[in-house]
């Protein structure tokens, strides 16, 4: 494989990693801990909806870039011996990394197509009501799964580091 192709692949892979995992960490540490029923006034509601609307396409684009560039890098790696050929420390770390990514994909799919629409409906409903206890359930679920995804992203980075040092 040409060096320039591999260099571009690495640059795109790292950029997509920073965007996706950075977004997860930002949500887990800074955004979601501050969201409560009391903080979900009109401006916060609009801001959360706007953030989700802008981040989701970038997250999915990042995942597509990670898939394409990851396959390119993996096939070019000298220790790659074939799909599911787990015979050395590098291939074990790569397999563990990919197995850690699978639940992240499931969580991201659930967030994008189930939880975020539900949360947005509840926030719209609560906009017309004096109190919004229903909004808390999807918001609590959102907080929980963002934390799980953030922890899994750290696990993915650990397995990546193990693979890089193998």
């Amino acid at each position: 494989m040409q060096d320039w192709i591999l260099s571009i692949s690495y640059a795109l892979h790292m950029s997509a990693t920073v965007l996706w995992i950075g977004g997860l960490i930002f949500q887990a540490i800074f955004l979601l801990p501050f969201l409560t029923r009391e903080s979900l006034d009109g401006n916060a509601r609009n801001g959360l909806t706007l953030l989700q609307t802008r981040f989701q396409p970038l997250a999915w684009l990042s995942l597509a870039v990670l898939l394409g560039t990851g396959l390119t890098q993996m096939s070019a790696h000298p220790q790659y011996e074939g799909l599911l050929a787990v015979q050395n420390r590098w291939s074990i770390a790569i397999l563990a990394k990919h197995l850690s990514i699978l639940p992240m994909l499931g969580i991201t799919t659930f967030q994008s197509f189930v939880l975020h629409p539900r949360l947005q409906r509840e926030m719209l409903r609560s906009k017309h009501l004096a109190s919004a206890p229903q909004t808390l359930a999807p918001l609590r679920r959102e907080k929980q799964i963002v934390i799980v995804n953030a922890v899994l992203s750290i696990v993915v980075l650990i397995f990546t580091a193990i693979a890089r040092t193998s």
Side-chain angles (χ1 to χ4, degrees):
M1 180 174 298
Q2 298 285 332
D3 286 345
W4 66 271
I5 293 174
L6 201 51
S7 295
I8 290 171
S9 177
Y10 278 117
L12 289 172
H13 198 82
M14 288 185 285
S15 298
T17 299
V18 167
L19 181 63
W20 189 37
I21 292 178
L24 291 174
I25 299 296
F26 169 77
Q27 289 177 52
I29 294 175
F30 298 107
L31 177 67
L32 292 176
F34 297 105
L35 292 179
T36 62
R37 179 177 48 180
E38 292 79 27
S39 71
L40 285 176
D41 64 3
N43 291 333
R45 209 178 282 120
N46 294 339
L48 180 60
T49 302
L50 181 63
L51 180 72
Q52 290 170 339
T53 303
R54 286 193 178 171
F55 182 68
Q56 280 182 4
L58 292 174
W60 284 109
L61 175 63
S62 295
L63 289 170
V65 169
L66 288 168
L67 177 66
T69 58
L71 291 173
T72 301
Q73 293 170 37
M74 188 172 67
S75 65
H77 198 278
Q79 293 189 47
Y80 179 68
E81 296 178 12
L83 186 64
L84 297 177
V86 184
Q87 301 180 1
N88 53 46
R89 185 172 181 228
W90 176 84
S91 60
I92 292 169
I94 292 298
L95 178 62
K97 172 184 174 177
H98 293 153
L99 290 175
S100 300
I101 291 170
L102 288 176
M104 294 178 75
L105 290 172
I107 288 170
T108 302
T109 301
F110 176 73
Q111 278 181 292
S112 293
F113 300 109
V114 177
L115 190 59
H116 289 165
R118 184 181 303 157
L119 184 58
Q120 289 174 1
R121 280 191 308 272
E122 291 296 330
M123 286 190 300
L124 281 172
R125 185 178 300 141
S126 71
K127 185 176 173 180
H128 301 292
L129 302 173
S131 64
Q134 297 92 350
T135 304
L136 292 181
L139 189 57
R140 268 194 302 273
R141 175 64 53 94
E142 175 79 1
K143 289 178 183 182
Q144 293 166 346
I145 65 175
V146 164
I147 290 169
V148 168
N149 239 3
V151 169
L152 284 170
S153 70
I154 301 301
V155 170
V156 167
L157 292 177
I158 290 168
F159 286 129
T160 302
I162 291 169
R164 298 281 292 158
T165 59
S166 297

